[in-house]
């Protein structure tokens, strides 16, 4: 390892005249790099092929979400939350709705809770399916795995379109319930999708789980220790792959999750392979919840009848609502001053916080491993930059 | 054995490849411009204004209350209230929007305008082929472009439109019954007070 210092400027480091020293090279990965899942940029300092230092640079997709929300009515922010993590809009809606319901003390009818659980778990399925597709795509198995994953994701998006009118920007939750009830025949089609989903999982495990090249590239790469995962405040599949048993669905028991029996899978190594397998295991647990929820869904109203859509003014106070989004703990913190718009609106984005350990995972590894590690973190830049 | 996993994966790929010739559900691609998926009833693209009857200016349900303008999250609606009133489709004197513009380059299709409208006047369209070479004028829709008939609304969202029409018919029947009762009562009292035959009072809001 060389002793050369490198320039802290974002530009090319000053060339060293001493030819005996190895030179460090500072390169900018992104924001248009296809492996960065959007407009994420990393300033990577390389010694040959090895990463010496890595600096993530955010903000290319900053849209001022939190400040806009302070000037909108409470309901007006709901469609904007769709655009945070644009792969799973329904869980974003849910987190925000939960925070407002806590703030105003609104009760949600039972059927609406079931609808929320069904759509939320379907969101988890399609997010994890597309994530493993993207991860494999990043590692060079171009096309096939991603297309298989997207084929399954399409079926779930078709269900969302039929239910909410939109494939990705669902805008489905309302304070005290959901916006629309299931159309006729939707539940049967959803059951069919859920019944056929294990076939896809088996097929996918057959396809690449035992693949020697994949194992070579992911096992022992990007190891995240349990201590670091806890100290850095990570959540979601990323923390669970490192053996941290933390799932907001179990911890908070929000909504009706305590009625369903599901297990929280834990990883043993905390490497990229564990994070990859974690998604398969979580999908299988989600399918259990979905089967139970679709069997037991009761009839009834889907929204609190006392809740009016206009003129919503919660009492002054503050509330933090959090849910287990597919990427981790998604929290919304709201302060109300009694006016129709929130005084303060803050999002705790799981992607951003899971990304903070990126440098610790990458240092000492090759550039190609950085791509695999970043893929396994599961980021969506709409949520990181907000 | 090294390479076993790779071979297994390749076998799976082959099964999918040949399977797509056998089972239809493995073929999910739709050849878009020639072949289109059926329109989904809940689909939404951009808002439009509903009018009853045949004349779009006469039958416009919008009364320029400006609620949707205030509630629209990206503020893409512009309404100017008229100075005068004119009868709507039910014959009631109402304000009407002198200007009603929606900038669909700003609209994010969230449907909140539809949810807050108390007059069932603004609804979501399902049309999606809306390219234009004029990015400012072409994407700013005016009142006339936005006005679409109730028949069109019934065609694209049948269940929802039927419920709206039923609620309207019920409301109208209630108003008529009330007006009729009022007229009867008035006629009865007038008949009691003045035995001489009097011209019947006008029927209020009944049609």
């Amino acid at each position: 390892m060389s002793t050369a210092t490198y320039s802290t400027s974002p530009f090319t480091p000053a060339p060293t005249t001493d030819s005996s020293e190895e030179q460090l090279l500072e390169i900018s990965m992104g924001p248009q790099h296809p492996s960065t899942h959007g407009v994420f940029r990393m300033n990577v300092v390389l010694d040959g092929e090895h990463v010496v230092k890595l600096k993530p640079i955010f903000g290319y997709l900053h849209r001022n979400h939190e400040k806009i929300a302070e000037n909108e009515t409470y309901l007006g922010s709901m469609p904007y939350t769709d655009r945070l993590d644009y792969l799973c809009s329904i869980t974003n809606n849910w987190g925000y709705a939960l925070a407002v319901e806590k703030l105003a003390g609104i009760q949600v009818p039972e059927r609406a809770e079931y609808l929320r659980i069904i759509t939320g778990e379907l969101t988890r399925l399609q997010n994890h399916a597309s994530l493993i597709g993207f991860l494999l795509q990043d590692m060079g198995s171009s096309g096939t795995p991603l297309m298989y994953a997207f084929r399954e994701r399409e079926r779930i998006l078709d269900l969302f379109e039929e239910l909410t009118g939109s494939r990705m920007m669902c805008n489905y939750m309302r304070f005290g319930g959901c916006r629309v009830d299931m159309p006729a025949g939707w539940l049967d089609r959803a059951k069919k999708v859920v019944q056929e989903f294990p076939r896809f999982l088996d097929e996918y495990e057959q396809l690449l789980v035992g693949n020697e090249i994949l194992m070579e590239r992911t096992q022992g790469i990007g190891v995240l220790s349990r201590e670091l995962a806890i100290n850095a405040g990570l959540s979601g599949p990323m923390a669970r792959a490192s053996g941290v048993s933390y799932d907001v669905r179990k911890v908070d028991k929000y909504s009706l999750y305590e009625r369903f029996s599901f297990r929280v899978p834990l990883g043993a190594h905390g490497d990229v392979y564990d994070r990859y397998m974690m998604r398969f295991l979580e999908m299988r647990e989600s399918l259990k919840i979905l089967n139970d929820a679709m069997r037991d869904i009761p009839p009834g109203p889907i929204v609190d009848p006392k809740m009016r859509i206009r003129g919503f003014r919660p009492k002054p106070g503050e509330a933090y609502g959090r849910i287990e989004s597919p990427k981790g703990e998604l929290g919304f913190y709201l302060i109300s001053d009694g006016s129709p718009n929130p005084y303060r609106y803050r999002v705790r984005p799981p992607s951003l916080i899971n990304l903070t350990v990126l440098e610790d995972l990458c240092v000492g590894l090759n550039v190609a491993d950085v791509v695999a590690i970043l893929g396994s973190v599961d980021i969506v830049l709409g949520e990181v930059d907000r | 054995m090294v390479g076993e996993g790779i071979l297994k994966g390749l076998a799976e790929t082959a099964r999918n490849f040949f399977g797509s010739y056998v089972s239809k559900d493995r073929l999910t691609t739709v050849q878009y411009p020639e072949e289109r998926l059926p329109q989904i009833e809940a689909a939404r693209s951009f808002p439009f204004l509903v009018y009853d009857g045949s004349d779009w200016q006469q039958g416009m349900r919008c009364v320029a209350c400006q609620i949707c303008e205030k509630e629209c999250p990206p503020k893409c609606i512009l309404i100017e209230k008229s100075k005068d009133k004119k009868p709507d489709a039910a014959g009631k004197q109402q304000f009407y929007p002198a200007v009603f513009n929606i900038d669909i380059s700003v609209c994010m299709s969230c449907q909140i305008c539809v949810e807050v409208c108390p007059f069932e006047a603004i609804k979501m369209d399902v049309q999606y082929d809306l390219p234009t070479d004029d990015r400012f004028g072409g994407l700013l829709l005016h009142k006339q472009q936005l006005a679409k008939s109730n028949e069109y609304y019934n065609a694209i969202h049948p269940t929802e439109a039927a419920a709206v029409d039923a609620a309207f018919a019920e409301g109208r029947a209630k108003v008529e019954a009330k007006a009729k009762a009022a007229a009867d009562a008035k006629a009865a009292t007038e008949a009691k007070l003045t035995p001489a035959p009097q011209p019947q009072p006008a029927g209020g809001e009944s049609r």
Side-chain angles (χ1 to χ4, degrees):
Chain A
M1 187 61 78
S2 87
T3 53
T5 54
Y6 67 93
S7 156
T8 49
S9 82
F11 305 104
T12 325
T16 40
T17 46
D18 188 0
S19 59
S20 67
E21 272 190 11
E22 288 172 41
Q23 280 194 25
L24 295 181
L25 181 65
E26 184 174 346
I27 58 167
S28 178
M29 257 178 108
Q32 276 91 22
H33 197 278
S35 78
T36 56
H37 295 226
V39 281
F40 176 55
R41 182 173 154 213
M42 291 169 282
N43 254 10
V44 193
V45 179
L46 297 175
D47 177 14
E49 185 74 5
H50 296 286
V51 177
V52 177
K53 204 174 158 81
L54 184 146
K55 189 177 160 206
I57 296 164
F58 315 116
Y60 289 92
L61 202 58
H62 180 63
R63 288 150 307 166
N64 213 359
H65 174 69
E66 289 173 3
K67 196 68 196 170
I68 287 175
E70 285 166 18
N71 298 317
E72 287 285 347
T73 57
Y74 281 87
L75 178 64
S77 299
M78 187 61 91
Y80 283 112
T81 60
D82 288 341
R83 277 102 180 141
L84 281 175
D85 175 357
Y86 40 76
L87 288 179
C88 15
S89 61
I90 284 182
T91 47
N92 297 341
N93 289 172
W94 195 357
Y96 179 53
L98 204 72
V100 176
E101 281 154 13
K102 254 189 184 172
L103 186 68
I106 304 165
Q107 290 298 314
V108 183
E110 199 180 356
R111 185 180 174 82
E113 293 280 27
Y114 270 85
L115 279 171
R116 287 179 174 192
I117 287 172
I118 290 171
T119 50
E121 294 302 321
L122 283 172
T123 305
R124 195 181 313 279
L125 287 184
Q126 58 100 356
N127 176 70
H128 285 359
S130 51
L131 171 89
I132 53 179
F134 280 130
L135 175 59
L136 295 167
Q137 167 95 347
D138 288 347
M139 290 194 291
S141 59
S142 64
T144 311
L146 183 65
M147 285 303 125
Y148 287 8
F150 265 48
R151 186 183 65 201
E152 297 309 309
R153 179 173 173 258
E154 275 302 300
R155 291 178 197 190
I156 295 173
L157 291 193
D158 284 346
L159 289 176
F160 285 169
E161 187 181 16
E162 215 183 318
L163 178 65
T164 69
S166 184
R167 302 172 75 76
M168 289 172 79
M169 303 298 130
C170 294
N171 188 14
Y172 183 54
M173 308 282 170
R174 287 289 174 267
F175 312 135
C178 301
R179 183 161 56 84
V180 283
D181 206 344
M182 296 187 286
W186 188 87
L187 192 61
D188 295 326
R189 282 187 286 277
K191 275 180 184 162
K192 189 162 171 280
V193 169
V194 169
Q195 270 159 17
E196 286 175 1
F197 209 83
R199 191 183 80 172
F200 157 73
L201 290 179
D202 295 341
E203 186 182 293
Y204 218 86
E205 287 185 359
Q206 194 66 234
L207 180 72
L208 273 169
V209 165
N211 188 302
E212 283 81 1
I213 304 171
L214 180 85
M215 292 204 274
E216 198 67 27
R217 283 210 53 188
T218 54
Q219 288 183 347
I221 297 295
V223 178
L224 172 70
S225 67
R226 191 166 183 276
E227 288 68 39
L228 181 61
I230 293 170
N231 290 344
L234 303 196
S235 55
M238 180 113 178
R240 290 196 286 273
S242 297
V244 184
S245 178
Y246 178 71
D247 187 321
V248 183
R249 288 176 293 176
K250 287 279 188 197
V251 175
D252 267 17
K253 295 192 171 60
Y254 64 94
S255 188
L256 299 174
Y257 271 114
E258 57 186 333
R259 287 193 192 176
F260 299 96
S261 67
F262 64 100
R263 295 191 305 170
V264 178
L266 293 180
H269 309 289
D271 55 3
V272 174
Y273 192 75
D274 269 17
R275 291 199 275 277
Y276 168 70
M277 287 307 294
M278 183 59 55
R279 267 70 187 210
F280 281 105
L281 298 173
E282 284 204 353
M283 279 195 271
R284 291 199 189 271
E285 295 303 317
S286 286
L287 287 171
K288 276 188 209 164
I289 300 175
L290 274 170
N291 278 324
D292 289 357
M294 285 178 173
R295 190 192 59 220
D296 299 339
I297 181 163
I302 55 153
V303 76
D304 185 357
K306 278 180 294 195
M307 192 63 209
R308 285 181 311 130
I309 195 155
R310 283 175 51 224
F312 178 66
R313 287 159 180 264
K315 286 192 198 80
E318 56 185 298
Y320 179 68
R322 59 179 189 172
I323 61 154
E324 181 71 25
S325 94
K327 297 184 167 60
E329 179 189 328
L330 173 69
F332 285 85
Y333 177 60
L334 295 167
I335 300 180
S336 163
D337 57 356
S339 64
N341 8 321
Y343 175 76
R344 178 78 174 99
Y345 173 103
R346 155 93 188 144
V347 188
R348 182 219 188 265
S351 298
L352 172 68
I353 291 164
N354 290 355
L355 204 52
T356 50
V357 292
L358 188 65
E359 185 177 12
D360 301 273
L361 301 186
C362 292
V363 167
L365 299 172
N366 293 342
V367 183
D369 297 328
V370 174
V371 173
I373 291 166
L374 184 68
S376 73
V377 176
D378 191 9
I379 55 166
V380 160
L381 264 293
E383 190 176 67
V384 172
D385 292 340
R386 304 191 297 294
Chain B
M1 191 187 86
V2 177
E4 200 187 332
I6 297 174
L7 288 176
K8 263 189 196 166
L10 286 174
E12 196 54 56
T13 322
R15 191 153 56 233
N16 266 277
F17 176 67
F18 293 111
S20 66
Y21 287 95
V22 183
S23 58
K24 265 263 186 281
D25 64 322
R26 282 181 181 262
L27 265 186
T28 45
T29 312
V30 175
Q31 300 296 333
Y32 163 61
E34 294 85 24
E35 197 185 338
R36 289 178 190 222
L37 292 170
Q39 190 66 56
I40 283 172
E41 210 188 310
R44 51 187 151 100
S45 62
F46 297 109
F48 70 95
L49 297 172
V50 189
Y51 66 87
D52 295 307
S54 55
D55 182 13
W56 69 270
Q57 274 173 312
Q58 190 65 34
M60 185 85 81
R61 284 182 188 171
C62 177
V63 298
C65 67
Q66 297 178 314
I67 288 173
C68 55
E69 189 187 25
K70 285 190 202 95
E71 295 285 333
C72 174
K75 305 276 180 284
C76 70
I77 304 177
L78 175 78
I79 302 174
E80 268 174 33
K81 205 177 196 168
S82 62
K83 298 273 186 296
D84 57 326
K85 287 186 176 186
K86 68 177 181 188
D88 65 357
K92 207 172 175 181
Q93 290 290 324
Q94 295 279 21
F95 287 110
Y96 60 93
V99 176
F100 198 117
N101 293 343
I102 294 182
D103 189 346
I104 61 167
S105 65
V106 175
C107 175
M108 60 177 180
S109 312
C110 64
Q111 214 179 5
I112 281 178
C113 51
V114 178
E115 283 167 57
V116 297
C117 181
F119 300 96
E120 310 284 357
I122 189 164
K123 293 290 168 193
M124 286 316 256
D125 209 342
V126 293
Q127 202 184 345
Y128 51 87
D129 293 318
L130 299 163
T132 168
D133 52 6
D134 178 9
R135 46 185 278 234
F136 300 110
L139 294 172
L140 184 68
L141 301 186
H142 299 290
K143 199 167 62 165
Q144 190 169 3
Q145 291 157 289
L146 290 167
K148 289 182 181 168
S149 68
N150 193 23
E151 284 72 46
Y152 176 78
Y153 175 44
N154 268 287
I156 58 172
H157 299 302
T159 325
E160 198 186 297
V164 169
D165 282 355
F168 269 26
E170 196 185 325
R172 223 173 281 141
K174 239 182 223 167
V175 168
E176 264 167 38
K178 208 174 166 189
K180 194 159 176 284
D184 285 354
K186 203 173 177 190
T189 48
E190 276 177 4
K192 227 183 259 171
L193 289 171
T194 52
Q198 285 283 319
Q200 284 289 316
E205 284 163 1
S206 70
R207 265 194 326 137

